[in-house]
Amino acid sequence: MTEKDRQTEEKIFESATEVFLDRGMDGARMRDIAAHAGINKALLHYYYRTKEHLFNAVFELMAGRILKKFAPVLDPSMSFDDKIRFFYREHISFLQENPRLPGFILNEVNRNPERVRKLLAGFDLNNLWLQIYSQHKKELDEYKIDASMMPQIMSSIVSLSVFPFAARGIFEAIFEKQGLSFNSYLEDRKEFAAGFVINALRNNNTLLSNTEIKSQRAHKKR
Amino acid sequence: MTEKDRQTEEKIFESATEVFLDRGMDGARMRDIAAHAGINKALLHYYYRTKEHLFNAVFELMAGRILKKFAPVLDPSMSFDDKIRFFYREHISFLQENPRLPGFILNEVNRNPERVRKLLAGFDLNNLWLQIYSQHKKELDEYKIDASMMPQIMSSIVSLSVFPFAARGIFEAIFEKQGLSFNSYLEDRKEFAAGFVINALRNNNTLLSNTEIKSQRAHKKR
DNA sequence: GTCTATAGAAGGATAGAC
DNA sequence: GTCTATCCTTCTATAGAC
């Protein structure tokens, strides 16, 4: 009885996840979710009152799952370089298993800004970058990186792993034309991206210093 | 007469662009496009037979516009470093004026792979990376970069400028919590990203060499 | 070319039997 | 808990008057 409930509800949730990931909130059809779960539409409404309820359940689980993957960034037991290497290995592997996740989340979030607010509500973002900076102050000082550059640096790190998935459709098409597989590109990327970032920071020369100066100037303007 | 046609058709097209950029193909409503244009639905169908026709017209213009912005990459008159600096300045400026474009294109392309095929049909991608590599062989040799690394490098360059726009909703929310403006972040980014990439390549040390070796190994596997 | 009115299809949601 | 049948709304698209 209760066992069967759980099974059905789970099946519905899995089917909904599948269809929503594929088509998004607006493009998904309750009929398709029901068909995918091998049941009828009425049962969907029995477990989740409306389409929106069902979508929210799926979205929150998925968004939570991807956000949790950023947690190791605050692990104090790793050096900055190791952390970067670890991050790309783990994060890209995770996205290889969930390739549609970035596009799904980004799209829904851009369409409905209210979702971001609710989503980030549980996280302490007020001093996120300062936290990371403080944790690695010693190494970052050697690189001549100060706290004001953290937004640029952190956003760059994330871009390098998430964007290929967000632009998956285009990447796959271009790679195919050149006889490359998207998957082997991703395998390479785990190490390439880490090396790329570490090099960029390690030899933080006049170029970055210039940026820093301009950055301060720009901030004063506003 | 004909002048009025042109005006109406243009107004419809602009309104459609606005609504499609905001809501996507699935989320857009013909009623909203008509309202935005100050006309009625029937007139939409008079000029563009179906919603899909109208959408395709908008999508093709927008996609073409963003793709054209990558053309200077093949300009042979600039050095590699200058090209990178030029690219970020121009590309980020363009996206500042069209911030919803990346999310729109990426979303529609991921949902409908057929669009990519048609989209890229006009471009010679068979040896795109080899072209760029050949053009700058001398500089790239100094960086110890060979042709097989071009996919990783080019995709990294694009990621750093496009991703902040694709993830605009999240970025804006996070920045707001820290008292930063998305726009000043973007202003800084034009120079930061260029410096970041040039540094990463310039001091291409053992890290990248390792990646290269692994890369070759990985390719043999498949 | 532009409008009003409406057809016709498709979507989400519910009633009620089992 | 699960189903069939159906309601009601919304959407795209067209007919027909001006």
Side-chain angles (χ1 to χ4, degrees), chain B residues 5 8 40 42-43 46-47:
Chain B
D5 290 12
T8 302
N40 59 358
L43 213 46
Y46 176 78
Y47 283 100

Side-chain angles (χ1 to χ4, degrees), chain A residues 96-197:
Chain A
Q96 279 178 304
E97 286 160 20
N98 303 273
R100 293 170 301 177
L101 216 43
F104 171 72
I105 302 286
L106 294 179
N107 184 47
E108 300 297 343
V109 147
N110 284 336
R111 290 222 193 303
N112 186 350
E114 193 56 20
R115 276 192 218 289
V116 202
R117 208 186 47 70
K118 272 179 62 184
L119 194 68
L120 300 177
F123 295 82
D124 178 23
L125 296 171
N126 290 321
N127 50 3
L128 175 62
W129 291 318
L130 205 58
Q131 267 184 62
I132 299 168
Y133 174 72
S134 308
Q135 245 178 49
H136 299 283
K137 190 165 185 348
K138 219 167 177 176
E139 298 152 274
L140 295 175
D141 276 353
E142 278 177 26
Y143 293 167
K144 291 186 184 155
I145 289 167
D146 69 73
S148 76
M149 300 165 74
M150 292 306 283
Q152 293 291 343
I153 291 171
M154 297 305 293
S155 65
S156 300
I157 291 173
V158 174
S159 301
L160 293 180
S161 62
V162 180
F163 185 71
F165 291 92
R168 193 169 44 101
I170 293 175
F171 273 44
E172 281 176 345
I174 292 178
F175 287 162
E176 195 188 357
K177 281 226 178 187
Q178 324 231 358
L180 298 176
S181 95
F182 185 54
N183 210 54
S184 73
Y185 162 81
L186 292 174
E187 285 304 324
D188 291 356
R189 193 144 192 81
K190 294 174 190 173
E191 289 200 23
F192 177 88
F196 193 85
V197 169

Side-chain angles (χ1 to χ4, degrees), chain A residues 51-64:
Chain A
K51 182 185 180 185
E52 203 177 339
H53 277 91
L54 181 51
F55 177 82
N56 285 339
V58 169
F59 180 83
E60 272 160 39
L61 182 75
M62 292 295 127

Side-chain angles (χ1 to χ4, degrees), chain B residues 50 60 121 135 139 186 212:
Chain B
T50 65
E60 272 160 38
Q135 243 178 50
E139 298 152 274
L186 292 174
E212 190 186 346

Side-chain angles (χ1 to χ4, degrees), chain A residues 31-44:
Chain A
R31 117 174 27 252
D32 294 340
I33 296 173
H36 190 282
I39 55 170
N40 58 357
K41 288 189 297 170
L43 213 47
L44 298 181

Side-chain angles (χ1 to χ4, degrees), chain B:
Chain B
M1 264 307 207
T2 311
E3 175 59 18
K4 192 156 196 189
D5 290 12
R6 214 190 51 78
Q7 277 185 14
T8 302
E9 187 164 353
E10 213 162 82
K11 190 107 186 93
I12 289 175
F13 191 87
E14 282 169 19
S15 303
T17 303
E18 186 59 32
V19 174
F20 280 132
L21 276 175
D22 240 45
R23 311 286 321 150
M25 169 62 176
D26 293 333
R29 294 292 162 250
M30 294 295 265
R31 116 175 26 251
D32 294 339
I33 295 172
H36 190 282
I39 56 171
N40 59 358
K41 290 185 296 169
L43 213 46
L44 298 181
H45 290 93
Y46 176 78
Y47 283 100
Y48 301 84
R49 233 170 46 70
T50 65
K51 181 185 180 183
E52 203 177 340
H53 277 93
L54 182 51
F55 176 82
N56 285 339
V58 169
F59 180 82
E60 272 160 38
L61 182 76
M62 291 295 126
R65 195 176 279 184
I66 203 169
L67 281 183
K68 279 197 193 79
K69 284 285 161 186
F70 289 101
V73 167
L74 292 173
D75 176 356
S77 76
M78 268 184 279
S79 75
F80 193 69
D81 287 10
D82 284 348
K83 201 176 270 191
I84 287 174
R85 271 185 266 268
F86 177 83
F87 170 75
Y88 282 118
R89 233 179 9 246
E90 293 297 306
H91 203 247
I92 292 178
S93 293
F94 169 71
L95 293 179
Q96 279 178 306
E97 286 161 20
N98 303 272
R100 293 170 302 176
L101 216 44
F104 171 72
I105 303 285
L106 294 179
N107 184 46
E108 301 297 344
V109 146
N110 283 335
R111 290 220 195 305
N112 187 349
E114 194 55 21
R115 276 193 217 290
V116 203
R117 208 187 47 72
K118 272 178 61 184
L119 195 67
L120 300 177
F123 294 82
D124 177 23
L125 295 170
N126 290 322
N127 51 2
L128 175 62
W129 291 317
L130 205 57
Q131 266 184 63
I132 299 168
Y133 174 73
S134 308
Q135 243 178 50
H136 299 284
K137 191 166 184 345
K138 219 168 177 176
E139 298 152 274
L140 295 175
D141 276 353
E142 278 177 26
Y143 293 167
K144 291 187 185 158
I145 290 167
D146 68 73
S148 76
M149 300 163 75
M150 293 305 283
Q152 293 291 342
I153 291 171
M154 297 305 293
S155 65
S156 300
I157 292 173
V158 174
S159 300
L160 293 180
S161 62
V162 180
F163 185 71
F165 290 94
R168 192 169 44 103
I170 293 175
F171 273 44
E172 281 176 347
I174 293 179
F175 287 162
E176 195 188 357
K177 282 226 176 188
Q178 323 230 356
L180 298 176
S181 95
F182 185 54
N183 210 54
S184 75
Y185 162 81
L186 292 174
E187 285 303 325
D188 291 357
R189 193 145 192 83
K190 293 173 191 174
E191 290 201 21
F192 177 88
F196 193 84
V197 169
I198 290 168
N199 275 348
L201 299 182
R202 173 165 298 163
N203 301 289
N204 179 33
N205 57 15
T206 48
L207 283 164
L208 284 176
S209 301
N210 277 341
T211 302
E212 190 186 346
I213 292 159
K214 291 263 171 87
S215 167
Q216 288 166 354
R217 213 186 303 151
H219 281 124
K220 275 182 200 153
K221 269 190 215 157
R222 286 153 232 278

